[in-house]
Amino acid sequence: MRDIWNDLQNHYSHIKDRPIVDLFNVDDTRFSHFSVNAVDMVLDYSKTNLDSTARGLLFELMRNTGVESKRDAMFAGEKINDTEGRAVLHTALRNLSGVPIKVDGTDVMPEVLQTLENMKLFSSAVRDGSLRGATGKPFSDVVNIGIGGSDLGPVMATAAMAPYHDGPRTHFVSNVDGADIHDTLKRLNPETTLLIIASKTFTTIETMTNAKSATDWMKSALGVDDISDHLVALSTAADKTAAFGVKPERVFGFEDWVGGRYSVWGPIGLSLMLAIGGDDFVQFLQGAHDMDTHFKTAPMEQNMPMALAMVGVWHSNICGYATRAVLPYEQRLTRLPAYLQQLDMESNGKGVAMDGTDLPRDSGPIVWGEPGTNGQHAFYQLIHQGTRVIPCEFMVAKAGHEPELAHQHELLQANCLAQSEALMLGRDVDAARALMAAAGLKGDELERQARHRVFQGSRPSTTLIYPQLTPKMLGAIIALYEHRVFVEGVIWGLNSFDQWGVELGKVLATEMQGYVSGAEAPDGKDGSTLGLLAALKP
């Protein structure tokens, strides 16, 4: 069978030194051919070195690796997470079509929709003040205690949806560092604070440690032992939530076919629903469902998640770029890079194929980023003139939420487009010399200063443009990246839906706690760990 990977590498060897701008010089319609429209968004990938030959090979690679059939299997409820024997159905949480989705022959949608309705009823009661705390006061603040997917999803989405907040103030605690819970609670009134404890198993050590500290604070402040009116659990462990003192009707569960980093669409998103209300939360689901429909039905050549994945594989595996920068020109998406970092790196940070053999090539790249324009004054220096090429993924809205500050949004847009253009065009040494000559420099000093002002250019980027950051649009953006991660995982031949890499450290941390406290002797530990334990002693 033909080796498409080899064909891609051979093609790249012939075009790798071709300036990206040359592709526009020979085809003034390149943008229309190398961009995709879906769900009111435009994804431009024309500022990459992809050409028709490379794109055709990458589409062929997708077909040969079974992207379309595995996509269909995922939506159908088949157990594609075969290392854990589970279906992968976060898409069911936003399935608003009325179409049944079956797992082991049972339609899961009635329970999904009932949970959504229960969340809406609870949220409405908190927001309108009919559900109150132990002293009869309505809730003014909500503290979500979770970690990983139980924190990054809701904290990112809640920050993004600030213009739609009309419910209680929301706060998030994730780090087991006592400073996190302390600094959050010290600003709050325990009489009007609702605690959401988000842990599927109700055993996550960081979450349960913070939950215990929060409930101790509340019991002490209120002078009572029963604070069940202030507790909510997002968990499937009914016995453990009951033992912790959470009322059964305040427990919102979800199935094992929803992974933590994919769970913001269900009960883990309760804090978001409390902030923006049930109707806007449903719009959030609708945007994701619209992207699901597009992903399922659009031909490969017009499929936005597949296009984004194609660019990712090209840059990571063929061009050899080890990282990708996510750069939203939207301040309210300040936590999106961190959210996508977990989504991507926990999903595709694997070294073993589905059959248990070593992967023959690199898998997921390092994902990082910061909102523009802040990043421009921090790390863009390296992106523009550093020795490593870092593909950039820009995103920007057509309109902001502050019409009185439209001039600032235009400046934001101008910065976003200018950065992608500068990365592509660069500045050659002749242009830099002309600048220095105009500044009055001559001779060796002109040459030396000119060299510092050369930009290599031909550095790739994509740009995602969306109308406005609404609940519906946020849902579509997140789903776009979820499906991109899925497609890349299929191409690489790995399981994007387990996360065994986080297990070993958690096990050893439990053991290590006894050594840190001095309750147990660290017999048999390596010299470094013994030295560090000694250094930690007062």
Side-chain angles (χ1 to χ4, degrees), residues 525-535:
K525 286 295 178 182
D526 62 272
S528 171
T529 300
L530 290 171
L532 293 170
L533 285 167

Side-chain angles (χ1 to χ4, degrees), residues 473-485:
M473 199 50 54
L474 178 65
I477 291 169
I478 298 171
L480 165 64
Y481 273 87
E482 285 180 348
H483 295 320
R484 182 259 194 94
V485 166

